């Protein structure tokens, strides 16, 4: 009917528009035990995904920040409150710089995560694992304390 009313070029343009509008976007899926999704969040090209927690021994702040780099989940930077418990710079893996307010960042790590899947044993409430992406925060320790979860960047071509 559309073709008869508007012509074939219109129908073709409408098809392309609808196909592009419906194109799937990259998402970060947090999978619980057995691979069941706990939640998903859009993770477009360039999106930063930060996993933060309190160090289990010292209680200090720790964070790993990943980026969607062309559909690959890549560890780009880590924040550490101090060099305690073996934490620190690994020669040739990023650049160390002091953080405003204390602690330090290791930046430009460029460490791809195999298969875009990062397994994580979520800590108890005092560990307070949190995931920040796109201005939203998910409190993993409230959702899945003591559980093995997988942070999975799903790239759609």
């Amino acid at each position: 009917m559309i073709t008869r009313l508007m012509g074939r070029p219109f129908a073709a343009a409408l098809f392309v528009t609808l196909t592009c509008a419906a194109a799937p976007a990259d998402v970060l899926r947090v999978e619980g035990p057995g691979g069941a999704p706990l939640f998903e969040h859009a993770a477009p090209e360039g999106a930063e995904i930060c996993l933060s927690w309190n160090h289990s021994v010292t209680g200090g702040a720790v964070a790993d920040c990943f980026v969607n780099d062309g559909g690959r989940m890549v560890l780009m930077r880590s924040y550490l409150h101090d060099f305690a418990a073996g934490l620190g710079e690994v020669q040739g893996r990023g650049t160390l710089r002091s953080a405003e307010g204390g602690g330090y960042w290791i930046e430009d790590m460029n460490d791809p995560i195999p298969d875009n899947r990062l397994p994580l044993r979520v800590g108890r409430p005092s560990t307070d694992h949190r995931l920040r992406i796109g201005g939203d925060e998910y409190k993993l320790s409230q959702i899945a304390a003591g559980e093995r979860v997988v942070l999975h960047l799903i790239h759609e071509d």
Side-chain angles (χ1 to χ4, degrees):
M1 171 112 177
I2 290 175
T3 317
R4 272 190 267 152
L5 294 175
M6 304 297 284
R8 289 190 194 276
F10 175 79
L14 178 63
F15 174 77
V16 169
T17 301
L18 292 175
T19 302
C20 290
D26 294 352
V27 297
L28 179 74
R29 177 183 294 157
V30 177
E31 301 167 349
L38 297 176
F39 62 87
E40 291 183 347
H41 195 288
E45 170 74 24
E48 185 175 68
I49 303 158
C50 285
L51 178 64
S52 303
W53 67 96
N54 301 324
H55 190 276
S56 61
V57 175
T58 65
V62 183
D64 284 335
C65 295
F66 308 86
V67 69
N68 177 350
D69 181 12
R72 295 178 324 142
M73 186 176 185
V74 178
L75 176 62
M76 293 302 290
R77 61 192 186 118
S78 290
Y79 174 81
L80 305 161
H81 61 286
D82 62 24
F83 283 103
L87 301 175
E89 183 178 25
V90 175
Q91 188 169 359
R93 186 174 180 231
T95 305
L96 184 68
R97 76 164 176 84
S98 295
E100 188 174 316
Y104 59 94
W105 283 100
I106 302 173
E107 297 180 327
D108 302 318
M109 296 173 76
N110 297 312
D111 191 4
I113 303 304
D115 297 323
N116 285 342
R117 293 174 182 267
L118 179 71
L120 169 69
R121 175 72 59 188
V122 178
R124 60 184 181 249
S126 61
T127 304
D128 193 22
H129 274 108
R130 302 166 310 281
L131 186 69
R132 289 188 189 100
I133 181 172
D136 294 322
E137 181 177 84
Y138 299 90
K139 296 185 176 282
L140 297 178
S141 289
Q142 290 179 2
I143 297 169
E147 298 290 335
R148 180 188 186 272
V149 303
V150 175
L151 309 182
H152 181 192
L153 178 64
I154 300 171
H155 175 67
E156 300 292 337
D157 289 320

